[in-house]
DNA sequence: AAATTATAACACCTAAAGGTTACATATCGA
DNA sequence: TCGATATGTAACCTTTAGGTGTTATAATTT
């Protein structure tokens, strides 16, 4: 009965959404306050908040006429777990894969 | 003079690309071999490889008529650094933010 | 009660993402 | 050299992402 949940990787792909997450990590904020930090419309921000909510990365509660959003970091564990698999490569623990991290990295 | 580089967060947002990365972490592979693991067309795979290349997540070299791809994990550091900022929340180190990780997580 | 403020709900637009088919080119093996 | 194999790429299609503006509803303030 659950609608197709938004993928956390897809949710954090957008720079605006990452910035929103950063704001909500520091404090609980209503939509209007969040919007103040961006040049896009409030409607656009609301859409991003919907996506973040579907990915379970934020939670909201209604207080008076305001809707307050806050970070819910739980799903980020999935990203961390995914990353952990690749840690071994830049940690240089597998000598047979040493060449992968030895060459110059122009990024 | 550099073309707008692909964002690594955007590059890893697609499940197919993540699966490709996983394959290339294990061994260097030509396009045709990569394609065998997916039901999409070879052209689609090539496009994904282009995006991964632009994000500098893979490297390739031509050997005979084959083009061999391999993982280049370097740019993943950016994701790790980004994640590290959020580690504190699920590590429960900031008591004032305890409520963020205490509630049930239905994911 | 009236004016203001915060959010919700639509309808709509454009560009990009992700996919396809078709065709061209290059290399290998016999 | 010829056929099979590997890749490059152009043209096209459909869906979605990210954005807009407008209108409606609910709570607050004066």
């Amino acid at each position: 009965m659950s609608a197709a949940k938004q993928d956390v990787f897809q949710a954090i792909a957008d720079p605006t959404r990452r910035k929103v997450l950063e704001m909500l990590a520091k404090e609980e904020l209503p939509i209007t306050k969040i919007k103040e930090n961006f040049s896009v419309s409030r409607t656009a921000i609301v859409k991003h908040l919907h996506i973040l909510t579907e990915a379970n990365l934020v939670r909201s509660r209604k207080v008076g006429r305001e809707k307050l959003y806050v970070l819910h970091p739980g799903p980020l564990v999935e990203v961390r777990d995914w990353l952990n698999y690749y840690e071994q490569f830049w940690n240089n623990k597998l000598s047979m894969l040493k060449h992968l991290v030895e060459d110059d990295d122009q990024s």
Side-chain angles (χ1 to χ4, degrees), chain A:
Chain A
M1 68 195 304
S2 69
K5 194 84 85 40
Q6 207 37 64
D7 179 30
V8 61
F9 286 93
Q10 208 272 324
I12 65 173
D14 184 89
T16 299
R17 286 197 289 271
R18 287 200 299 278
K19 201 173 164 194
V20 168
L21 288 179
E22 198 181 333
M23 293 177 63
L24 296 179
K26 290 177 189 140
E27 50 180 337
E28 197 177 32
L29 289 171
I31 298 175
T32 306
K33 286 284 181 189
I34 297 171
K35 187 255 168 290
E36 285 173 8
N37 289 264
F38 301 90
S39 54
V40 297
S41 70
R42 185 188 54 81
T43 313
I45 297 295
V46 170
K47 283 192 183 179
H48 285 307
L49 286 169
H50 280 331
I51 290 171
L52 290 172
T53 301
E54 276 174 13
N56 205 23
L57 279 169
V58 300
R59 295 273 170 97
S60 61
R61 65 193 178 103
K62 198 141 190 207
V63 176
R65 64 180 162 182
E66 289 187 326
K67 195 166 182 182
L68 302 179
Y69 283 85
V70 69
L71 176 72
H72 179 73
L76 289 179
V77 172
E78 187 185 343
V79 181
R80 191 199 50 186
D81 290 347
W82 179 82
L83 257 188
N84 276 346
Y85 173 75
Y86 295 95
E87 285 271 345
Q88 60 185 312
F89 299 116
W90 66 66
N91 278 351
N92 206 16
K93 277 178 186 160
L94 299 183
S95 59
M96 62 169 284
L97 291 162
K98 233 178 149 185
H99 66 283
L100 297 177
V101 289
E102 264 182 349
D103 51 355
D104 60 308
D105 184 353
Q106 62 262 37
S107 71

